Amino acid sequence: MTVAVAPDLFRQLLRRHAAAVVVITAPGTGFTATSFTSVSLDPPLVSFCLARSASAWPAIAATPTVAVHVLGREQEHIARTFATSGIDRLAAHGAWRPGPDGVPLLDGVLARLVCRVVDRVQAGDHTIVLASPLDGEHRADEAETPLLYHAGRYSSVHPR
């Protein structure tokens, strides 16, 4: 039987991976994530992961609709707000409007996808949420770069 890599080594290895920073929202909640990825073009599917112990999990487990907000390099303050425990993150952020099924849509983000949840798959202590984009919008300027998370800190791509 193969033994899994030790948790400390696993964290150190994953710190070498740069990931885009998104905020996922559902009615009444939102959280910062780096686990967002595209899954399929046909049909269009995306995914993200969330620990079942997270405060946002009950809302994500129950909602049919989520919004994924891709943050720009100047939006670290938004990432930090939605990563803060013990606060009403939506109230603290303030700049949002209700969307389909009451999902909060954050203003001024680099890109946004409104998605219908199609499946939830348990994976260890997390759940992988698969979702189908129903609508989206993005800033027109492709030179604007996303906020990244790498080596335990926020960063960005520097355009050439």
Side-chain angles (χ1 to χ4, degrees), residues 136-148:
E137 59 184 288
H138 60 86
R139 291 188 192 167
D141 185 358
E142 289 189 10
E144 293 189 56
T145 59
L147 181 64
L148 301 177

Side-chain angles (χ1 to χ4, degrees), residues 54-126:
S55 62
W57 173 244
I60 297 298
T63 189
T65 307
V66 296
V68 178
H69 306 84
V70 179
L71 301 184
R73 70 179 175 178
E74 303 297 326
Q75 296 180 313
E76 180 178 333
H77 63 285
I78 298 171
R80 289 188 180 283
T81 297
F82 282 90
T84 301
S85 297
I87 65 167
D88 180 339
R89 297 169 184 152
L90 290 167
H93 177 64
W96 63 275
R97 60 186 165 78
D101 295 329
V103 68
L105 303 178
L106 305 184
D107 297 335
V109 295
L110 192 60
R112 175 180 36 245
L113 296 89
V114 175
C115 303
R116 175 76 52 201
V117 174
V118 297
D119 203 0
R120 294 172 181 88
V121 180
Q122 288 193 13
D125 60 355
H126 281 58

